Amino acid sequence: MRLAFIEACGFRGFRDRIRVDFGAGFTVITGRNGVGKSTLCDAIEFALTGSIDKYSVHKAGKESLGNYVWWRGKGSPSGYYVTLSFRDDEGQEFAITRSREGGANRPRDEIEAQLCIGLAPDDALRQLCKTFIIRDEWIAALSLDLTETDRFDLVRSALGPVGTSDYGVKARDVIASAQAAHARNEELYRLARDQLNRSLTQLSEAQDLVARSGDIAAAMAAVAAVTPNEPSDLVALLTAGRAALVARRKRLAAAQGAVSEGREVIALRRSFDQPEATARRDAAYQLLETSAMSKGLVEKDVAQARREVEREEEADKVAASLAALVEHGTKLGLHDQHCPLCAAPRSSTEFQAGLSLARARMESLASGVGAARQRLATAMEAFDSVARKHAEAAAAWSLIEQEKARLVAREQAYVNLFAECGLDSQFLGDPDALERNCVSERDSLVDLERAILTLEASQTVSRIAILEDEIVALRKSVEEAADLTARSETAVTFAHAIERGIRRVNGEVIDERLAKISPLLNELYQRLRPHVDWRTIDYSVRGDVRRFLSLTVGNGLNPQFVFSSGQRRAAGLAFLLSVHLARQWARLRTLVLDDPVQHIDDFRALNLVEMLAAFRLDGRQIVCAVEDAALADLLCRRLLSTSGGLGRRYDIDLDSQGVPMIRGEAEIPPMPAYVLRGDGG
């Protein structure tokens, strides 16, 4: 399987569509810095994995690498996608397209199935990119600059899983199962211990209750005395005794309240019945009676005066009429010796005598109204005074009646309290005797409570026997749970030991594989010649659980600390190329190098070209991006284009808008046969 083409549009620095058709033999891409050579490598990696791993920092501020995957410059691309195509030896193509809108058109499993064979490592596509794309900035970082453990992990991942990997997975599953069983057993042991502790606590409490109990027979008699109608069964007797204890406590509390209430009521009654209080009430009552009688008499006087006023007012009206008649008769005089008013025969003397008599009568009638009204006013004043005194006497007597009513109501409530609480009525008038009875009742309740406690303790005796049997059974359960926990812990230990053994075997297998690539590493190192004096590079692996892979030159020196930047890069190239060649799980026979000669002098660059030519003769497809056009020319000549594996060259530059474009594209023809023969044959 080899690369067929890469096409990108709207991807990173590629605004417009750009397509590179890879030569089956090799492809050389040249151009100055910033024209998109590395972006082509990014596109290959992104198409395979959906990410770009060359950046050590994926987030900065509020943005991340994902914000820079697609075009962000001026203008609008016609699309946002990357398409990577592969071609196998039979000419069948397999293409992967990732777009901004739809993601990948093929699932990861299908891609891995096309590019991997046998046992592939975990995250195979990412491992594939690490081992067939060699970037300028990662040459030293993925080789000499790695820690010894990370370097070992890189080589192990590149070599792929060993045959015992399945056993390692199974061993981890066994460990997980053993740990889960151990956790369950520990939980069962904890629950058994908790139950045992609870039972021991209950046993201790029951034993303490029995220690505080007295004679059971006497206790039963004491409880039976207060519950004479209950059966002699202990449970029923205890139930009745507790009920009687509650009822008697309630009655005792009521009796204690009745003591203070009775003393207050009796004190009030005694105060109410004092001779001074009685005399004060009698005087008030007598005053009320006297004022009532006086009020009645005055009311009669007022009524009589009113009647006299009415009579005098009627008489006054008659006098007024009489005066009118007298005045009329005087004016008229006798008429033919007859009275002008009644037509009776009268003499002048008789007529004048009659007028005089009428005037005297009129005067007597008019003079009685004023006297009658004066007598009514006097009677009314006397009535107001007597009525006021009567009201005062009535108010004073009302207060006395209210005081008496309150006292009677309180006495009745006191009597009702005795009836409601079942208290003996003989103590109604003797609170002191009731208090003495409360003291006696309190002592009786204390004895009853002790008796009930004793009977409860007798129940506890049987409970103790039950608890002791339970504790024996619980101790046995605890021992069994402890034994299970110990066995499961041993099983976990054995599982870990098995897993360590499998890991050790895996390490030994990897050591054997590393031993096979050691000559390859040394051969590549010697071809690149990073150092004049130290012509070989050695490795060593140590550690059973954690594995370490160290590289040394000379007399055990670490090249990471003694090599220059260019030497480290050359040694790193040898390391990464050896890892690339050692893969057995990858069907892809393509090597992509992104500007691998940075910081490398011309001599070692020529050595790299010769080594890549050897890879090319081995049937590998070489894709190399370089900045130097002369080096690109050399690569095109030395990588050897053949009819079965043509080479291609691309020159990349920026257009007038600063957008990458393919400036030149050429297919490298194969070298003619017998070109060096002079006979033309």
Side-chain angles (χ1 to χ4, degrees), residues 260-339:
S260 59
E261 179 66 14
R263 285 173 176 164
E264 291 183 9
V265 170
I266 291 174
L268 290 173
R269 171 54 68 180
R270 286 175 180 173
S271 175
F272 187 80
D273 292 340
Q274 287 290 330
E276 295 83 356
T278 302
R280 187 167 57 254
R281 289 195 300 275
D282 292 343
Y285 184 75
Q286 186 63 38
L287 179 61
L288 178 64
E289 290 292 325
T290 302
S291 64
M293 291 177 62
S294 298
K295 182 180 177 183
L297 293 175
V298 173
E299 284 178 345
K300 292 180 180 180
D301 292 342
V302 169
Q304 184 177 357
R306 281 198 177 99
R307 289 193 296 272
E308 289 180 0
V309 169
E310 290 175 354
R311 287 196 301 269
E312 291 298 329
E313 287 178 347
E314 289 294 327
D316 185 61
K317 292 179 181 179
V318 172
S321 298
L322 186 60
L325 289 174
V326 170
E327 183 180 359
H328 184 65
T330 301
K331 289 180 179 181
L332 293 177
L334 289 175
H335 183 65
D336 295 333
Q337 297 297 313
H338 284 82
C339 178

Side-chain angles (χ1 to χ4, degrees), residues 39-95:
T39 304
L40 287 172
C41 298
D42 295 341
I44 294 172
E45 181 180 4
F46 183 77
L48 282 172
T49 65
S51 63
I52 303 172
D53 287 346
K54 71 178 182 180
Y55 297 100
S56 58
V57 177
H58 288 269
K59 287 187 178 182
K62 296 183 179 180
E63 293 187 311
S64 65
L65 176 59
N67 300 118
Y68 290 87
V69 169
W70 305 106
W71 172 261
R72 294 186 56 170
K74 295 180 180 180
S76 299
S78 58
Y80 295 89
Y81 66 90
V82 174
T83 299
L84 177 64
S85 179
F86 300 89
R87 184 181 294 111
D88 60 16
D89 294 338
E90 286 74 27
Q92 298 293 324
E93 289 196 6
F94 174 76

Side-chain angles (χ1 to χ4, degrees), residues 1-3 132 580 583 588-592 621 623:
M1 186 75 74
R2 294 173 177 80
L3 294 179
F132 95 95
H580 170 78
R583 298 175 309 170
L588 185 63
R589 293 181 61 79
T590 300
L591 175 63
V592 179
Q621 181 189 38
V623 178

Side-chain angles (χ1 to χ4, degrees), residues 23-332:
F26 65 88
T27 302
V28 177
I29 303 170
T30 183
R32 54 192 173 91
N33 288 333
V35 298
K37 301 189 301 296
S38 298
T39 304
L40 287 172
C41 298
D42 295 341
I44 294 172
E45 181 180 4
F46 183 77
L48 282 172
T49 65
S51 63
I52 303 172
D53 287 346
K54 71 178 182 180
Y55 297 100
S56 58
V57 177
H58 288 269
K59 287 187 178 182
K62 296 183 179 180
E63 293 187 311
S64 65
L65 176 59
N67 300 118
Y68 290 87
V69 169
W70 305 106
W71 172 261
R72 294 186 56 170
K74 295 180 180 180
S76 299
S78 58
Y80 295 89
Y81 66 90
V82 174
T83 299
L84 177 64
S85 179
F86 300 89
R87 184 181 294 111
D88 60 16
D89 294 338
E90 286 74 27
Q92 298 293 324
E93 289 196 6
F94 174 76
I96 307 166
T97 298
R98 288 186 188 270
S99 64
R100 187 182 66 175
E101 293 78 12
N105 66 332
R106 295 184 183 275
R108 178 180 294 270
D109 294 343
E110 182 181 357
I111 300 173
E112 289 184 359
Q114 289 290 333
L115 301 179
C116 304
I117 57 174
L119 291 175
D122 296 335
D123 201 359
L125 296 181
R126 195 174 300 276
Q127 294 298 333
L128 182 68
C129 291
K130 282 185 178 181
T131 54
F132 95 95
I133 301 176
I134 299 178
R135 297 178 181 273
D136 161 51
E137 58 266 48
W138 283 106
I139 291 175
L142 289 179
S143 55
L144 269 65
D145 291 347
L146 285 176
T147 64
E148 294 179 339
T149 54
D150 291 340
R151 189 181 298 126
F152 179 84
D153 291 338
L154 173 68
V155 175
R156 182 183 61 184
S157 299
L159 294 178
V162 298
T164 56
S165 295
D166 289 341
Y167 295 109
V169 173
K170 292 179 181 178
R172 287 192 291 272
D173 292 340
V174 170
I175 291 175
S177 177
Q179 289 175 337
H182 181 58
R184 290 193 298 270
N185 291 335
E186 283 187 328
E187 180 65 15
L188 291 175
Y189 176 72
R190 184 189 66 78
L191 293 175
R193 288 293 306 172
D194 291 345
Q195 181 61 38
L196 176 61
N197 291 335
R198 286 194 295 270
S199 298
L200 289 173
T201 301
Q202 294 174 3
L203 177 62
S204 177
E205 292 174 351
Q207 290 173 341
D208 180 66
L209 184 61
V210 170
R212 291 186 286 111
S213 64
D215 184 28
I216 295 176
M220 291 187 68
V223 175
V226 298
T227 56
N229 298 324
E230 295 296 331
S232 59
D233 176 69
L234 181 59
V235 175
L237 194 62
L238 272 174
T239 302
R242 293 190 192 99
L245 180 63
V246 172
R248 293 181 64 175
R249 280 177 176 170
K250 182 179 180 180
R251 189 165 59 250
L252 176 61
Q256 290 173 338
V259 169
S260 59
E261 179 66 14
R263 285 173 176 164
E264 291 183 9
V265 170
I266 291 174
L268 290 173
R269 171 54 68 180
R270 286 175 180 173
S271 175
F272 187 80
D273 292 340
Q274 287 290 330
E276 295 83 356
T278 302
R280 187 167 57 254
R281 289 195 300 275
D282 292 343
Y285 184 75
Q286 186 63 38
L287 179 61
L288 178 64
E289 290 292 325
T290 302
S291 64
M293 291 177 62
S294 298
K295 182 180 177 183
L297 293 175
V298 173
E299 284 178 345
K300 292 180 180 180
D301 292 342
V302 169
Q304 184 177 357
R306 281 198 177 99
R307 289 193 296 272
E308 289 180 0
V309 169
E310 290 175 354
R311 287 196 301 269
E312 291 298 329
E313 287 178 347
E314 289 294 327
D316 185 61
K317 292 179 181 179
V318 172
S321 298
L322 186 60
L325 289 174
V326 170
E327 183 180 359
H328 184 65
T330 301
K331 289 180 179 181
L332 293 177

Side-chain angles (χ1 to χ4, degrees), residues 365-380:
L365 288 174
S367 62
V369 174
R373 288 178 176 174
Q374 181 62 40
R375 286 193 297 274
L376 177 60
T378 302
M380 289 296 296

